[in-house]
Structure formats: structure tokens, C-alpha cells
């Protein structure tokens, strides 16, 4: 995989460089609530612009239905990128139409433009190879060189991620190079003890990575909504907590394999339960109570690991040389259910090991709960991509850059 430093050494002045970024940021209307992914691509864009390239930044945002939708416009992200660069950033109001063509042709050396949401064109996400290829051909017409730096999208076989690099000289940006380097530390010659903390809503989303980790990790800590399927598999009462009953057989088999392989699988010993899912808009008090993990009342929902579990998990992380954390321990967006996630995050900050926050809601939790991002070894920009890499899958966007 050739890197941006190799591209820069070859010279990029006057060249049109297409940067596939991941500007898929959360929005409240037109207000960006977490600009982490935009900040992550700034080093690549700035290096190219400073070297005189004409930089075309492209990304998706949300899940529009293959047609323009103002609710998913990249305009706020383009404005924020300009603020972070301290420079004007032009914005094209389409992807490969007249606005994109005129905006790109109007770039001076060192100029930067953002084109509109790639998913406004059905060809971006199409499962039809020919439709995807046709869109990639049009995108290729805008540029001379391709730089892949949207790590959060490399697990998608989309036109701008998979097809476009085949049509242009291609290089990995700084973010992708960093992300891959970090993930190799979690898969190749891992420093031990290696502890993995997994949370989030659905156990089905994590089964494949658990399957891989049962042969690699020393300890696996389970929290979030997925924990209740594990607790139910042990025969515990979980009330009206999130439960995937169809996954109980797989969970039982994994618990047996963990014991056989000498992997310590740690489950909550207490949980914070409420009468139902809390109101995240008003964040009104939620009538939360702490109960034993094996005695959740029939009419209550487990929404966070309890304080004893937080202390237990912190103790299991204290001596870790390597930690991977993906998924919050509870509904961290509500103050009554944030303490478990705080406990895990604080343990990572306090511990001596190399700590990786695996993107998605975990990264959002770190920022929402006020932690210093620099206190962690690495905060990934791609939760799904990180998990699929650890599962051993071939990621289309990385494969395309390696060709």
C-alpha cells in the first residue's frame, strides 16, 4: 500500500487529488455535534494543499436513498473543514454534475473543495457492478490522483471506496495508515495481557469478533445491551432488558469455548435498571435502581452495568498491556446510566497499556463524557471497519489501495 508521503515526494503541485474522507458526522439540524471525523482528515488535506495540490474532498453522510436530500447535505461539514484548515473551502452542490465540474475546474493550486454527499447518487452504494462502475468513471473524471482516507467506510464495497481507486493512481492517507498500523498491534504480536471490552446494543453485531477473540484475547469484558443475552444464557432473570433469544445457543457455545481456551469472560455482577428506555432529549430523572445481575425485576430494564461491575471491570483492565474497547457499557447519553461507561473509560486512561477506542459510540462516549482524547492510545474513526478488521475480513477499501 503506497502512502501519501510517497505521493508528496513525487510532487503534487497542480494535480487534482481526490480525497475519499469520512465526514459522516452527527448533526442536530445543521449543527455538528461531534467533529472528530472531520478533524481526523485535516492532516491529509492540509499536507496536500500545502504542497500545491488541488484537493477534492468527498464523503457520504447518513443514509439518503440515492437522491439529493437536504437533511444529509455535507455543507456543514465543508464549512467546519474550512474552519479547521483556516482557509476557504469551496462547496459543490452535486457530486458529478455541473456544480462539481465548475467547482473543481475553479480550484487554484493549494485550493480545497468538498463535493456534495456521494450517496445522493445511487451508483455509490449500488450492488450492481456496472452502475457502481459508471459512477466511479464520472468521479475519476474529476481527478488525477486518488487518496483513500475514509477509514470508517473501507468495509463498504462502494464506488468511491472500491471502484474509484482502480481508475487512478492511489495512495493511503495519514488516517488510514495510522488506523491500519494500530489494528496490526491488536492482531500481530500483541502485548499481553490483552483485554477486550465489548458493549453496545446487540450481541449479534459482535458474535464474529468474539469468535476471533476467543483465540487471541486474555480477557473479554461484556457490557451494554448485549450483556443481557449472556446473562439470560446463564439462566438469569433479565426483566424487559434488551434480549436476543435466538442468539442464546451461540452465546452458550462461546462461553464454553472461553472456559476451554482459558479466556476469562467477564459479565456484570450488578446492573442499573429503570422502568424503560430513558428520554434522551430531556434527560429527566429515570427512576434508576441498582440490582444484582441475576435478579433484574420482571418489569424493569437493565440500562447500565452497576458500580460493583464498574469496579470489577476496572480491576480487569488495570494490568492490561493492550486494550481494545468497542461499545458503551450502558445508555451513556443519560446521566443515570453513564457511570459504567465512565468507569471503563477511566480505567483505560489510568492503565499502563496501549488503549484503542474502537470508534462509533465508544468514541462518542469519550467525547460526550468529557475525557481528554489524548489520554487514549488511539481513538478510531471506524467502529464497523475496526470490528471487521479484527474479525479477519478483507476490507474492500483497503484491498483496493493495496492493488
Amino acid at each position: 500500500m503506497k502512502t501519501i508521503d510517497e505521493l508528496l515526494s513525487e510532487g503534487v503541485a497542480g494535480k487534482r487529488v481526490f480525497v475519499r474522507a469520512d465526514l459522516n458526522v452527527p448533526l442536530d439540524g445543521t449543527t455538528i455535534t461531534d467533529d472528530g471525523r472531520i478533524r481526523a482528515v485535516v492532516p491529509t488535506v492540509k499536507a496536500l494543499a500545502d504542497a500545491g495540490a488541488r484537493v477534492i474532498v468527498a464523503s457520504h453522510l447518513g443514509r439518503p436513498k440515492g437522491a439529493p436530500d437536504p437533511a444529509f447535505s455535507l455543507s456543514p461539514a465543508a464549512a467546519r473543514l474550512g474552519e479547521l484548515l483556516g482557509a476557504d473551502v469551496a462547496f459543490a452542490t452535486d457530486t458529478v454534475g455541473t456544480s462539481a465540474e465548475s467547482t473543481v475546474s475553479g480550484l487554484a493550486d493549494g485550493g480545497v473543495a468538498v463535493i456534495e454527499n456521494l450517496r445522493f447518487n445511487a451508483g455509490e452504494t449500488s450492488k450492481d457492478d456496472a452502475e457502481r462502475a459508471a459512477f466511479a468513471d464520472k468521479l475519476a473524471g474529476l481527478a488525477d490522483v486518488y487518496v483513500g482516507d475514509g477509514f470508517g467506510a473501507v468495509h463498504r464495497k462502494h464506488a468511491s471506496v472500491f471502484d474509484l481507486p482502480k481508475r487512478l493512481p492511489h495512495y493511503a492517507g495519514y488516517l488510514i495508515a495510522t488506523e491500519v498500523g494500530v489494528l496490526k498491534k491488536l492482531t500481530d504480536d500483541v502485548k499481553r495481557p490483552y483485554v477486550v471490552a465489548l458493549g453496545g446494543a446487540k450481541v449479534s453485531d459482535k458474535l464474529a469478533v468474539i469468535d476471533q477473540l476467543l483465540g487471541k484475547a486474555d480477557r473479554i469484558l461484556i457490557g451494554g445491551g448485549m450483556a443481557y443475552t449472556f446473562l439470560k444464557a446463564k439462566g438469569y432473570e433479565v426483566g424487559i432488558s434488551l434480549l436476543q433469544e435466538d442468539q442464546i445457543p451461540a452465546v452458550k457455545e462461546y462461553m464454553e469455548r472461553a472456559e476451554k481456551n482459558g479466556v476469562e469472560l467477564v459479565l456484570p455482577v450488578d446492573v442499573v435498571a429503570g422502568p424503560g428506555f430513558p428520554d434522551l432529549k430531556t434527560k429527566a430523572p429515570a427512576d434508576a435502581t441498582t440490582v444484582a445481575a441475576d435478579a433484574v425485576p420482571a418489569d424493569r430494564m437493565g440500562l447500565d452495568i452497576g458500580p460493583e461491575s464498574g469496579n470489577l471491570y476496572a480491576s480487569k483492565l488495570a494490568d492490561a498491556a493492550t486494550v481494545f474497547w468497542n461499545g458503551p457499557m450502558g445508555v451513556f447519553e443519560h446521566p443515570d446510566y453513564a457511570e459504567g461507561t465512565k468507569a471503563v473509560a477511566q480505567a483505560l486512561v489510568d492503565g499502563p497499556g496501549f488503549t484503542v477506542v474502537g470508534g462509533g459510540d465508544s468514541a462518542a462516549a469519550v467525547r460526550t463524557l468529557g475525557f481528554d482524547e489524548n489520554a487514549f492510545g488511539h481513538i478510531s474513526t471506524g467502529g464497523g471497519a475496526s470490528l471487521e478488521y479484527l474479525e479477519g475480513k478483507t476490507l474492500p477499501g483497503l484491498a483496493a489501495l493495496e492493488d
Side-chain angles (χ1 to χ4, degrees):
M1 186 184 295
K2 291 190 289 186
T3 68
I4 187 176
D5 283 333
E6 294 174 77
L7 172 60
L8 292 169
S9 70
E10 296 165 6
V12 293
K15 290 185 178 180
R16 299 171 302 163
V17 181
F18 188 103
V19 177
R20 201 328 180 164
D22 181 7
L23 308 181
N24 185 27
V25 292
L27 294 173
D28 183 1
T30 59
T31 301
I32 297 169
T33 58
D34 182 352
D35 67 354
R37 284 176 168 165
I38 303 175
R39 287 185 283 114
V41 78
V42 166
T44 289
V45 174
K46 187 175 188 310
L48 290 166
D50 286 350
R54 303 178 182 189
V55 187
I56 306 141
V57 181
S59 176
H60 69 286
L61 191 152
R63 296 178 182 271
K65 306 297 184 182
D69 183 338
F72 297 106
S73 175
L74 277 174
S75 178
R80 181 59 181 148
L81 178 62
E83 291 172 357
L84 293 167
L85 289 170
D88 291 335
V89 169
F91 181 67
T93 57
D94 56 26
T95 56
V96 291
T98 55
S99 179
E101 290 173 358
S102 63
T103 300
V104 171
S105 66
L107 283 175
D109 291 1
V112 179
V114 173
I115 63 174
E116 186 55 284
N117 192 335
L118 292 165
R119 291 185 183 176
F120 284 2
N121 189 303
E124 170 67 0
T125 60
S126 177
K127 296 190 184 324
D128 181 83
D129 290 348
E131 186 178 13
R132 249 189 6 261
F135 184 47
D137 286 340
K138 291 179 180 179
L139 290 172
L142 296 173
D144 306 305
V145 182
Y146 178 93
V147 172
D149 215 31
F151 180 73
V154 294
H155 58 315
R156 306 297 188 192
K157 192 177 181 181
H158 291 170
S160 66
V161 175
F162 178 73
D163 302 272
L164 181 56
K166 299 178 180 181
R167 289 158 168 76
L168 295 169
H170 46 268
Y171 302 80
Y174 290 127
L175 175 61
I176 279 187
T178 298
E179 295 271 16
V180 172
V182 166
L183 288 170
K184 285 182 176 179
K185 292 183 180 181
L186 302 178
T187 54
D188 304 335
D189 193 27
V190 181
K191 292 184 179 180
R192 298 185 180 278
Y194 177 23
V195 184
V196 176
L198 295 175
K202 294 182 178 180
V203 68
S204 56
D205 293 342
K206 303 293 196 301
L207 284 179
V209 75
I210 293 172
D211 182 58
Q212 287 293 315
L213 291 169
L214 285 174
K216 296 176 181 176
D218 297 298
R219 298 176 201 133
I220 302 175
L221 318 180
I222 303 292
M226 63 184 285
Y228 300 99
T229 302
F230 279 85
L231 295 174
K232 187 70 173 180
K234 289 176 67 72
Y236 293 174
E237 171 60 56
V238 298
I240 57 172
S241 305
L242 185 63
L243 176 64
Q244 290 185 284
E245 291 203 50
D246 61 321
Q247 302 298 330
I248 288 176
V251 165
K252 285 183 175 179
E253 192 265 328
Y254 283 1
M255 289 193 292
E256 291 168 2
R257 275 179 54 200
E259 186 173 1
K260 181 179 178 181
N261 293 352
V263 177
E264 189 178 3
L265 190 63
V266 185
L267 300 178
V269 294
D270 62 345
V271 303
V272 182
F277 201 83
D279 186 334
L280 298 183
K281 288 188 176 180
T282 65
K283 294 184 171 55
D287 184 26
T289 56
T290 300
V291 298
D294 61 353
V296 179
D299 61 347
R300 293 182 78 78
M301 175 182 286
L303 293 158
D304 192 15
I305 61 172
E308 287 187 33
S309 301
N311 291 334
L312 172 65
Y313 286 21
S315 72
K316 298 297 183 181
L317 291 162
D319 67 343
T322 305
V323 180
F324 175 71
W325 171 34
N326 181 278
M329 296 293 105
V331 186
F332 71 91
E333 300 93 337
H334 193 285
D336 289 346
Y337 303 114
E339 292 304 314
T341 301
K342 281 183 184 177
V344 168
Q346 189 64 53
L348 266 63
V349 170
D350 294 340
F354 178 66
T355 57
V356 179
V357 180
D361 286 341
S362 306
V366 164
R367 298 181 183 113
T368 299
L369 299 175
F371 286 90
D372 180 359
E373 294 180 46
N374 295 320
F376 301 87
H378 179 70
I379 298 178
S380 179
T381 57
S386 296
L387 286 176
E388 290 197 15
Y389 189 100
L390 294 182
E391 289 167 20
K393 290 184 177 180
T394 297
L395 305 187
L398 296 185
L401 292 175
E402 289 167 354
D403 291 344

